[in-house]
Amino acid sequence: MGELIDYKCPCCGGKVEFDSTAQQMKCPYCDSEFSIEAMKEMEEAQQNQQSNMSWDTGAGSEWSQGETDGMKVFLCKSCGGEIIADDTTGASSCPYCGNPVVMTGSFDGDLRPDMVIPFKLDKKKAKEKYLQHLQGKKFLPKEFSDQNHIDEIKGVYVPFWLFDADADGDIRYRAVKERRWEDSRFRYTEKNYYSVRRAGSLAFEHVPVDGSSKMPDDLMESVEPFDYSEAVSFEKAYLSGYLADRYDVTAEQSIDRANKRIEESVIDTFRESVTGFDSVTTETKLINLNNGKAKYVLYPVWILNTTWNGEKYLFAMNGQTGKFVGNLPCDKAAYTKAVALYSVICVIIALVIAYFMS
Amino acid sequence: MNYVIAVIIGIIVAFVIAAIQKSSLTSVTMQHAAADYVKKGSVKFRIQTERFLYRKVEKTEKQQK
């Protein structure tokens, strides 16, 4: 016996049948009509397919003999952070929480980084950028910028996992074009519904995910982007004068974050290509990643700590580009006064407009 | 009634202006996507279709004065 196939109406969900008069598919419940091709396309879109996102995470390499001689590990007993420094660089306080650190022993070799971006900007530049960061902030407490002290500025090489991938996406949308008009008796709204499809590919390179659980992920993502074209093969000499954060988040643990960012970029890129409609909603999406590769690299970041009113504030500057980030406190009294003043001005303007309009 | 609406709108606009100025104090945020890492020239579409499905017309009667 043959198999019965049901097609659902995209408008009302009812069962669509072939109308011999119209020679098209027609819904008996809402009278919507569709071509055979349109129904086939919608049927294909309903089939459930699994997005495939998988990675090759064999990043990093083995240290050569003697390469880790002179590298020390420092442990912070307060937050558990571990940092690496060479013989010539003493680490006295933790870059994450500012508490004293103790040397626990020699570095016995995790993965050797594949690449490193050396520091391009010095400590003096970090201080200058910090002062610039405080300028023009309307609700920043005056005492914060007057007191103006930074407890510590440290240059830290932060471990990152970098992901390369070719993404292939196939996204279907329901889009609507509206037209309005009126006559003496009625107002009309005409809505034309379209099935829109975008399928294609785009390549991603060096998508970074922070490999240290102690370094706040939002702080590290805020100092992006880093210019990978300036990365060089790792040599221990680059660590001299700086600290290196020890990775404690594996590539496998970082995959989800990389997947999420790449998926969002594919969705955004495809969505930008759908133009000329009044509303667009996504119906189905299928994203596959091919040739996923991960690299283990060190990126330069200046970390600045300050304490104010019993609270610690952490700032970061991209050691390559100079991008400076860090949340600042808000003067609640100044904010409240400003809201009150703006309210008075805006209400007066609104009342004047309302008076003239009436 | 218009004046009440004007007062409410004025207060809302005041809060919006203050919120915009306050937002400059926050600069730390997770990245939404990976737009900075898309390889230049790698975006290629193999299917770009827009198929008309159906039309709906709604009409509402105007209030007769």
Side-chain angles (χ1 to χ4, degrees):
Chain A
M1 184 175 259
E3 199 181 280
L4 279 175
I5 300 169
D6 282 343
Y7 290 98
K8 251 177 37 171
C9 173
C11 192
C12 70
K15 198 174 111 180
V16 171
E17 295 164 349
F18 182 73
D19 185 301
S20 54
T21 310
Q23 285 295 297
Q24 286 206 312
M25 302 295 283
K26 186 168 176 176
C27 175
Y29 303 99
C30 68
D31 283 339
S32 302
E33 289 182 7
F34 316 93
S35 65
I36 305 286
E37 289 74 22
M39 286 309 315
K40 266 193 194 156
E41 208 176 275
M42 284 188 282
E43 173 72 6
E44 278 168 17
Q46 295 305 316
Q47 283 166 12
N48 201 7
Q49 296 175 61
Q50 191 76 27
S51 280
N52 175 30
M53 301 180 104
S54 60
W55 297 92
D56 165 12
T57 55
S61 59
E62 300 278 324
W63 295 90
S64 53
Q65 200 173 2
E67 204 173 0
T68 58
D69 292 348
M71 285 168 75
K72 305 279 185 273
V73 179
F74 293 82
L75 172 69
C76 173
K77 295 218 159 144
S78 176
C79 73
E82 283 185 301
I83 48 173
I84 304 160
D86 71 355
D87 272 342
T88 62
T89 308
S92 58
S93 57
C94 178
Y96 317 117
C97 68
N99 286 296
V101 294
V102 293
M103 191 175 81
T104 54
S106 296
F107 178 63
D108 58 8
D110 298 320
L111 282 179
R112 187 180 189 277
D114 295 310
M115 305 288 273
V116 61
I117 293 181
F119 272 88
K120 223 174 155 185
L121 302 168
D122 59 12
K123 189 182 273 197
K124 189 172 148 214
K125 190 70 181 176
K127 281 187 195 161
E128 274 174 28
K129 284 284 191 175
Y130 170 70
L131 295 175
Q132 267 178 36
H133 187 63
L134 301 183
Q135 300 297 318
K137 300 289 191 294
K138 188 158 174 65
F139 300 124
L140 180 67
K142 197 169 174 304
E143 301 79 20
F144 187 93
S145 36
D146 285 349
Q147 282 165 21
N148 211 8
H149 70 273
I150 283 285
D151 296 338
E152 288 275 358
I153 303 182
K154 292 186 185 61
V156 181
Y157 280 108
V158 180
F160 278 88
W161 298 104
L162 301 190
F163 295 90
D164 293 348
D166 293 325
D168 194 282
D170 188 341
I171 305 180
R172 294 170 192 262
Y173 308 88
R174 179 62 52 90
V176 181
K177 279 187 194 170
E178 273 188 30
R179 193 167 69 96
R180 292 169 198 268
W181 71 96
E182 55 184 74
D183 56 26
S184 55
R185 281 187 61 199
F186 295 98
R187 287 193 185 87
Y188 299 88
T189 303
E190 181 188 87
K191 290 186 181 177
N192 293 296
Y193 292 81
Y194 292 80
S195 172
V196 176
R197 187 179 177 194
R198 295 287 185 270
S201 61
L202 55 163
F204 292 83
E205 48 185 11
H206 317 130
V207 179
V209 181
D210 170 12
S212 164
S213 63
K214 294 292 178 292
M215 205 58 90
D217 289 347
D218 56 357
L219 193 67
M220 289 303 101
E221 288 197 7
S222 297
V223 294
E224 288 180 26
F226 289 88
D227 183 359
Y228 185 79
S229 66
E230 293 184 0
V232 296
S233 293
F234 176 80
E235 295 296 335
K236 197 181 93 175
Y238 289 115
L239 294 189
S240 184
Y242 300 100
L243 307 175
D245 194 355
R246 204 171 187 181
Y247 88 87
D248 56 359
V249 179
T250 62
E252 286 76 16
Q253 289 169 321
S254 305
I255 279 169
D256 284 346
R257 181 64 189 144
N259 281 353
K260 179 78 184 148
R261 288 183 69 175
I262 287 177
E263 189 176 328
E264 291 297 330
S265 269
V266 172
I267 291 168
D268 290 347
T269 304
F270 281 26
R271 177 62 184 86
E272 278 163 12
S273 72
V274 181
T275 56
F277 295 96
D278 295 294
S279 77
V280 179
T281 48
T282 304
E283 285 192 317
T284 61
K285 61 178 188 280
L286 168 63
I287 296 169
N288 288 314
L289 283 182
N290 303 308
N291 308 320
K293 249 192 303 181
K295 280 195 203 75
Y296 171 43
V297 302
L298 298 181
Y299 277 171
V301 182
W302 285 102
I303 302 290
L304 294 81
N305 278 314
T306 192
T307 310
W308 185 74
N309 266 11
E311 289 220 23
K312 285 197 188 300
Y313 291 89
L314 198 60
F315 302 91
M317 184 179 90
N318 184 317
Q320 180 193 34
T321 64
K323 183 176 176 187
F324 196 99
V325 298
N327 291 338
L328 294 164
C330 176
D331 184 341
K332 287 190 174 52
Y335 176 75
T336 309
K337 275 185 210 163
V339 168
L341 177 65
Y342 296 158
S343 295
V344 167
I345 296 169
C346 291
V347 165
I348 290 171
I349 293 171
L351 285 171
V352 166
I353 293 170
Y355 172 76
F356 280 109
M357 276 176 68
S358 65
Chain B
M1 188 60 183
N2 282 348
Y3 293 119
V4 171
I5 293 170
V7 168
I8 293 169
I9 289 173
I11 292 171
I12 290 171
V13 168
F15 269 100
V16 167
I17 294 170
I20 291 169
Q21 288 179 325
K22 191 182 175 193
S23 69
S24 67
L25 296 174
T26 304
S27 51
V28 176
T29 179
M30 295 295 278
Q31 293 284 340
H32 159 71
D36 291 320
Y37 304 101
V38 177
K39 217 166 166 179
K40 278 190 178 61
S42 67
V43 180
K44 287 180 180 63
F45 285 106
R46 59 174 188 280
I47 299 173
Q48 291 188 83
T49 58
E50 289 160 17
R51 190 186 297 278
F52 174 76
L53 291 176
Y54 58 92
R55 176 178 296 121
K56 250 185 170 176
V57 179
E58 292 162 1
K59 67 180 185 187
T60 47
E61 197 167 355
K62 286 182 177 176
Q63 273 181 347
Q64 302 296 327
K65 285 185 186 171

